[in-house]
Amino acid sequence: MGWLKIVGMGPGDETLLTPQVQHALAKASDVIGYFPYIARVTERPGLRLHGSDNRVELDRAKHALQLALKGNKVIVVSSGDPGVFAMAAAVFEALEDGPEAWRTIDIDVLPGITAMLAAAARVGAPLGHDFCTINLSDNLKPWEIIERRLRLSAEADFAMAFYNPRSKSRPQGFEKALRILNSVCKDTRPVIFARAVSSPQETINVVPLTEATPQMADMRTMVIVGSSQTRIIQRPDKSPIVYTPRFWAP
Ligand code: SAH
């Protein structure tokens, strides 16, 4: 009997891969995913790796369901958590529209440490109070929705975590996002640019909102914007701590 597990590989470092996902990988016959994530899977005899390019999520999902129905032990990999802007929803979209037989497959989603939480932990606790998360890519939704959500989230005074902040194919979006934030927030709350968190290329940069520039972010960057309550603790010879208190001080 085959199965399908949709797993999160964490933000990069192998110590941030859960034992549950490691055990699943050890039992799999096939691993399917975007090339860079497949590259993080250790090869072994009997394990077939199926790497594919970006933006073919639905084809990848269908392939995984077909293999699992045939009796293979299939893993679909995502970075971070598979339920956060990643493959789990793509698999369920394919399942909903696909052949009835796919609904008989055993499917599990195994969580991973999402980039937002790994990034927040590197600077302290910027998400210690209410926060929201927005994917800034307009590949799968209109830009107007992103703008509306940005404006309303800032007005509601959430801390905010942005995935996919800026890519070569969409250089303007993040610039517009910063303009909206500055116009609503009108203060110098901290903005965290956490790039390639937990990898050897990791960089962490904390700047006041008024000094944040579009060039500070790329597709390997997680951007976290504090709320009006977010604080910075300066320390001698150590990087500053950024945190948002648990209480609300009007
Ligand atoms: N499922 C993934 C997110 C996929 S969207 C997760 O849960 O983390 C891809 C975006 O995630 C990137 O554009 C970037 O904004 C963020 N990201 C993924 N890994 C990251 C890392 N190690 N450091 C910083 N940001 C990362």
Side-chain angles (χ1 to χ4, degrees), residues 3 23-31 44-48 73-75:
W3 47 251
H23 291 151
L25 284 167
K27 284 189 274 171
S29 61
D30 298 82
V31 181
R44 61 172 162 78
L47 180 65
R48 286 174 295 273
K73 297 176 168 59
V74 183
I75 290 193

Side-chain angles (χ1 to χ4, degrees), residues 10-13 37 40 78-87 112-116 118-119 135 162-166 170 194-199 218-223:
D13 190 90
Y37 308 154
R40 283 164 55 186
S78 284
S79 76
D81 181 273
V84 179
F85 310 128
M87 281 307 295
I113 296 178
T114 190
M116 168 180 74
N135 182 345
F162 301 140
Y163 288 79
N164 296 309
R166 186 165 168 264
R170 325 174 262 109
R195 183 170 192 279
V197 173
S198 89
S199 84
D218 66 6
M219 280 308 273
R220 294 192 72 189
T221 309
M222 187 78 219
V223 181

Side-chain angles (χ1 to χ4, degrees), residues 126 157-160 185 189-192 224-230 244:
D157 205 8
F158 285 112
M160 289 170 254
C185 300
R189 67 188 60 196
V191 180
I192 298 142
I224 299 179
V225 180
S227 74
S228 67
Q229 312 272 314
T230 301
T244 309

